[in-house]
Every structure is written in structure tokens, then in C-alpha cells.
Amino acid sequence: MRVVEYNGSGGPEVVSLSERPVPQPGPGEVLIKVAAAGLNRADVAQRRGVYPPPPGESDVPGLEVSGTVVERGPGVQIGQGYDDGAHVCALLASGGYAEYVVAPAAQTVPVPAGVSLVDAAGLPEVAATVWSNLVMEAGIVPGERLLVHGGSGGIGSAAIQIMTAYGVDVAVTGSTPQKLEYARELGADVVINYHDEDFVARVREATREAEAPGADVILDVVGAKYLERNVDALSTGGRLVVIGFSGGARAELDLAKLAAKRGKVIATTLRARPAEEKARIMQEVREHVWPMITHKHLAVTTDRVFGLSEAREAHEYFDTGEHHGKVLLVVD
């Protein structure tokens, strides 16, 4: 089968196409003929040499796919949703940039009704990231206020829609008027151009009538660069959830300021979680997020599609930061 490999660490120039044997499903796994794979920040971090796969996992990038089930490993029974030809999407630790991939059956869910097989590849990682971090970790509830940094990307697009459908007020930051308009169309209540505006001041202004002004929860992909200002933007009892480090991983934190707000800082990764945790997350995604798609509260936001043989071009495009929504690789 064809796979995408990284020949060393660096920019898109290290991305290449190669061939490897088709993997075989082990106990509790299914073999999926891949229709498409999602491209994520984690894939870029792996390409740059700063986010290797968990021990024992494939070095082939790709954390989410859609496709059809073609084989089942021991313990996976017919009639459980994994019959031959079943349309599924899956959350992976690695290996998605390929024509075939094995996935734990417990991390594999049916493609939601009304979603194309290709577009479904962009759902598992973002849906799992948003739901696990905001609901399962931060405990956000309807009526609270959320600030999302990078509101036009794949995770940001999903966060706006999922949290709006959940009853949360959403503010986002972005770099251009076009990205902010896109976020507003998805349901964001407040949009902030971080080049021209102070997001701390805008969030506090937007929530000035609240008993405790500020964001109840912040979903951050920037990291160190925003740490101090994120704490400033929190409301009393607020929770900062850090899931990315594009602005660095080390910063000083004023603990007295955090304590005065009775705030929390939560930092997570999805990829390295134990299989049982990922299975529980995907079960909750299927239970809570998939109905949002069925009832048209959440739309799949595919920005651009590349062939598997165009993986290098896909990474070049992703690195520009111009995408609105998901970038996908289709097995061409």
C-alpha cells in the first residue's frame, strides 16, 4: 500500500510517498480501507520533530481517517457496526496517511448520517479534542462563556459550533477580517482581531455585566506567549485549557493572580492517552456530538482536499495558516 512518510524533520520538503505492507488487525482492531485522512497540527509538530508518535505506534502520520471496514481482528464480531463495507471514521495514534490502517474498534464509530465518507475524515480528532477538553476536562456547562484562540481552524470551527449548540457563549480570536467573519457565520458571539485588538480587554468588555467578568473557559493553542494574558482574561473560577504550543511551551505564571481568581490551568494531549480513555471519549462524541450533526447544529467544515500523493502540497498549504476548517488527504 502507499503511505506518506517523513524523511527526517523539517518543513514540507521532508514529506514523501512510499510503500509498505498492508497492516493486519490484531485483537479488538479493524482494518479500514482509507477514503480520506485529516491533517492536524499534531502532524505538523511530528514533521518538525517535536511530537513523536507514542512508543510502539507507527511512524506514519495521521490521527484520523474515514473509510470502509474490510477485515476484523479477533474479538470484533459481525453485527457490532464493523461488518465488511461499513462506513466508519476512527481516532488513531498514528498511521492515517495511508491506503489502509488498523484502528481499535472502540475508537471507530459510524459516519454520521448526512456526512460524506470523505468529509467524515475531518471529524474524529476535532470532535474528540473539543468535547474531551471543554466538557470532560474543564466541565463547561450551558450558559458559561468560552474564549477560543484560532477560531477559524479545524478545532476552532468545531469548538464554535459544538459549544454554541451546547448552549455556551463563544468568543474567538483570529488574524484577518475574513477569518473572523467565517467564525461569526459559524456562531461566534464575539470576534477579536488579535493584530489590532487586546483580547483581554475585549473579553472583559463583552462580559462587563456578568457578576464575574471574563471567560469561564479558554481553549488555547498558543501556549507560553498567551499564558499571562489568558489568566488576565479568566473570570473568577475560570479554567484555562492549553492544547497547543505554537507560541512556546515555557512561561512564568503569577500564581497569586491565578489563586485570587480561584482559577485552573489544564494542559492535555489527546494522542498519548490510554486506549480506554480514547474509547470513552469517542463513545461520548458519538452520544453527544453526532446528534448535533444529525440535527444540523454542526456542519462539517472542509476547507480543501488534496490527494494522498499531494501530501507535501497539503502541508505547504496548511503551514500558510490560510485554511478555514479542515484540510483533508483523499486516497487518490
Side-chain angles (χ1 to χ4, degrees), residues 1-5 16-22 60 97-99:
M1 67 173 183
R2 294 178 302 157
V3 303
V4 173
E5 296 179 332
S16 66
L17 204 62
S18 184
E19 290 190 355
R20 296 191 184 185
V22 174
V60 173
Y97 288 16
E99 292 183 309

Side-chain angles (χ1 to χ4, degrees), residues 136-147:
M136 300 172 72
E137 295 286 348
I140 200 167
V141 296
E144 288 197 303
R145 306 175 298 271
L146 169 68
L147 171 63

Side-chain angles (χ1 to χ4, degrees), residues 18 36 89 106 111 128 130-131 145 178 193 222 235 239 250 252 279-280 316-317:
S18 184
C89 50
V111 170
V130 170
W131 190 262
R145 306 175 298 271
Q178 293 79 12
N193 188 321
V222 178
S235 68
R239 292 85 77 197
R250 292 179 178 271
E252 291 188 358
R280 185 171 69 253
E316 290 173 349
Y317 176 64

